Amino acid sequence: MRVIFLGPPGGGKGTQADFIAKKYDIPKLSTGDLLRESVAKETSLGKEAKGYMNRGELVPDAVVIGLVEEKLASPECQKGFLLDGFPRTVTQADQLSTFLESTGEGLDRVVYFSLSKNEIIRRISGRRSCPECKAVYHLESVPPKREGVCDVCGKSLVQRNDDKPETIESRLSVYQEQTAPLIEYYKTRNILSELDGAGLVSAVQDRLVALLAQPRVE
Ligand code: AMP
């Protein structure tokens, strides 16, 4: 399976991607995770990306495309992959399609997570994560057992820098301007499936599993 999860920040892509990658035994490539890892390790790529990320802007295409192509060329991606948060611009989508053509592979499906703006803001502002094991929580809908502490590894939970209120609006407008055009882009290629991203994690998961089991509507 070669699939893309497309949708607004806070739309639940990452949470569902973890589950689907395990279920289908394919690697999940999250450009957000890869970039945060580079920032934490203070690599030169991380140093370049950090400012853009903290401002809620997109990291330049060339940086992200290089990162993804390197991963896609690795042996573990030969059996399939799940891209979470990439592509985010038309340039990235064009480059991805050129890259996949060169390998003789195509995409099976793009799942578009749709969600209202109010729900996106509610999800992002309540999101907390573990800096150690990367487990993700939500203050209201998926709270940890002990307030502020990771259930899995006991570390203190943190709020992502770019989840702070002052950055959310800019991420949403970047999404509208640069990423939302990909909905039409993939629709015209008959590869888009829309998923209602509202509701409990388990409900979205059930809808997603059912959707992936269906043949694509051409
Ligand atoms: P995410 O975890 O997917 O919400 O990504 C966090 C941040 O990483 C984004 O706000 C961007 O600054 C950066 N980022 C992640 N994926 C991409 C991408 N495909 N293109 C450009 N920037 C990205």
Side-chain angles (χ1 to χ4, degrees), residues 129-133 137 148-158:
S129 56
C130 175
E132 184 70 21
C133 73
Y137 300 86
V149 177
C150 179
D151 293 348
V152 183
C153 68
K155 286 267 178 311
S156 293
L157 300 178
V158 294

Side-chain angles (χ1 to χ4, degrees), residues 64-79:
V64 184
I65 290 165
L67 203 62
V68 172
E69 288 192 354
E70 189 189 314
K71 294 278 176 191
L72 287 181
S74 70
E76 60 162 359
C77 286
Q78 302 319 303
K79 61 181 173 182

Side-chain angles (χ1 to χ4, degrees), residues 118-200:
N118 281 348
E119 182 60 12
I120 294 169
I121 293 174
R122 190 193 74 80
R123 292 224 190 142
I124 298 185
S125 43
R127 177 158 63 185
R128 296 292 181 274
S129 56
C130 175
E132 184 70 21
C133 73
K134 317 293 177 216
V136 179
Y137 300 86
H138 187 278
L139 294 181
E140 291 157 15
S141 40
V142 194
K145 292 194 184 88
R146 266 180 61 207
E147 198 185 322
V149 177
C150 179
D151 293 348
V152 183
C153 68
K155 286 267 178 311
S156 293
L157 300 178
V158 294
Q159 183 173 36
R160 271 169 51 173
N161 269 337
D162 58 348
D163 279 353
K164 307 232 158 101
E166 57 275 22
T167 320
I168 296 180
E169 277 299 330
S170 100
R171 287 170 72 202
L172 288 178
S173 53
V174 164
Y175 170 75
Q176 272 315 326
E177 282 159 28
Q178 302 194 57
T179 308
L182 293 180
I183 300 167
E184 209 46 44
Y185 180 101
Y186 285 118
K187 212 181 254 177
T188 56
R189 285 160 179 76
N190 290 324
I191 202 177
L192 192 89
S193 304
E194 181 164 348
L195 176 78
D196 175 6
L200 295 174

Side-chain angles (χ1 to χ4, degrees), residues 7-10 13-14 30-36 49-61 63-65 67-68 84-89 92 124 127 160 162-163 167 171 174 178-179:
K13 303 184 299 295
S30 155
T31 41
D33 286 350
L34 291 171
L35 290 166
R36 276 185 291 279
K50 189 174 177 177
Y52 294 101
M53 294 172 78
N54 285 344
R55 288 191 298 275
E57 295 166 12
L58 294 184
V59 173
D61 286 332
V63 174
V64 184
I65 290 165
L67 203 62
V68 172
D84 162 24
F86 179 93
R88 257 174 154 104
T89 64
Q92 291 178 16
I124 298 185
R127 177 158 63 185
R160 271 169 51 173
D162 58 348
D163 279 353
T167 320
R171 287 170 72 202
V174 164
Q178 302 194 57
T179 308

